[in-house]
Amino acid sequence: MLCGLFNLTGGPARQLEPFSRLGQLEGCAQPSGHGPLAIATRGRGGVATGADGLTCALDGRLHATAVTDEAIAGGARALAQAYRQSGTGMLARLRGSFALLVWDSVHGRGLLTCDLLATQQIFLWTGVGYLAFATEMRELLQIIPTRPGPDPIGFVDWLASGTVPEGMTLYEGVSRLGPGELVEVGVNGTSIRNYWRPV
């Protein structure tokens, strides 16, 4: 599980009101602060921070391919190095079920993404001046200030068809990344874009 906060004002994430709730998540390591970013993890994967200001957190598994053998062996540290060399170009070559966070403190920007088919999901919620994210809905609901009501479109579609529209959830204001999408984060805000499309 990967969960965290990003302070959109550029201030330290430790100063955000929900930061204390990150440390109360069951089974998680104490949250680590990386300037405007705070991360809490549990389970497989890991967090690596390099001397070059690059932080990488991985939740899930990578499958072996010619491109990802080194990343599998080196985990988050090898992914951070691949990002430094290729930027977001490395993402389309990764295979597996994973969520990935990369933060570059030197340039004040980063990204959140999941695997090509979004089998490992990332849920997002924007508060006043910050972005909260988690790979599990349960954890996201524990760190945001109040439980959101039902989403008027997502909930009705789920009742009618048993599915929720792409990018939506049952909760108002909570979205999820779709296949091949990433959210870019920085002190100037956030944006979602595709890094991969099926051919």
Side-chain angles (χ1 to χ4, degrees):
M1 188 276 303
L2 173 64
C3 188
L5 302 165
F6 183 78
N7 190 337
L8 299 174
T9 68
R14 293 179 182 274
Q15 294 177 350
L16 294 171
E17 185 268 330
F19 180 81
S20 62
R21 292 193 288 272
L22 270 179
Q24 298 169 4
L25 294 175
E26 185 178 335
C28 288
Q30 281 299 310
S32 57
H34 307 272
L37 173 70
I39 311 168
T41 61
R42 178 179 65 228
R44 59 184 187 232
V47 178
T49 301
D52 58 356
L54 202 62
T55 299
C56 183
L58 173 69
D59 178 29
R61 293 191 179 157
L62 294 172
H63 298 307
T65 67
V67 176
T68 58
D69 285 342
E70 182 182 332
I72 291 170
R77 191 168 305 284
L79 285 171
Q81 183 176 353
Y83 176 80
R84 180 63 78 202
Q85 293 170 352
S86 305
T88 58
M90 71 153 189
L91 298 175
R93 299 189 308 262
L94 298 177
R95 299 294 181 266
S97 178
F98 61 88
L100 177 66
L101 176 142
V102 178
W103 173 248
D104 184 343
S105 62
V106 173
H107 296 99
R109 64 177 183 252
L111 65 88
L112 281 164
T113 192
C114 52
D115 58 82
L116 299 180
L117 300 178
T119 57
Q120 175 70 293
Q121 298 190 340
I122 297 180
F123 299 99
L124 307 166
W125 182 86
T126 304
V128 177
Y130 68 93
L131 173 72
F133 59 89
T135 54
E136 296 179 22
M137 180 67 79
R138 176 181 64 229
E139 271 70 23
L140 182 66
L141 295 176
Q142 288 179 24
I143 63 170
I144 62 178
T146 59
R147 183 178 290 260
D151 185 90
I153 297 171
F155 188 72
V156 171
D157 278 18
W158 177 74
L159 285 175
S161 66
T163 61
V164 178
E166 187 68 42
M168 300 180 83
T169 68
L170 297 175
Y171 294 97
E172 189 171 29
V174 178
S175 61
R176 61 188 164 101
L177 283 182
E181 287 185 336
L182 63 83
V183 58
E184 294 177 309
V185 294
V187 293
N188 296 324
T190 64
S191 64
I192 296 177
R193 69 174 177 88
N194 284 88
Y195 69 86
W196 174 84
R197 291 185 192 280
V199 178

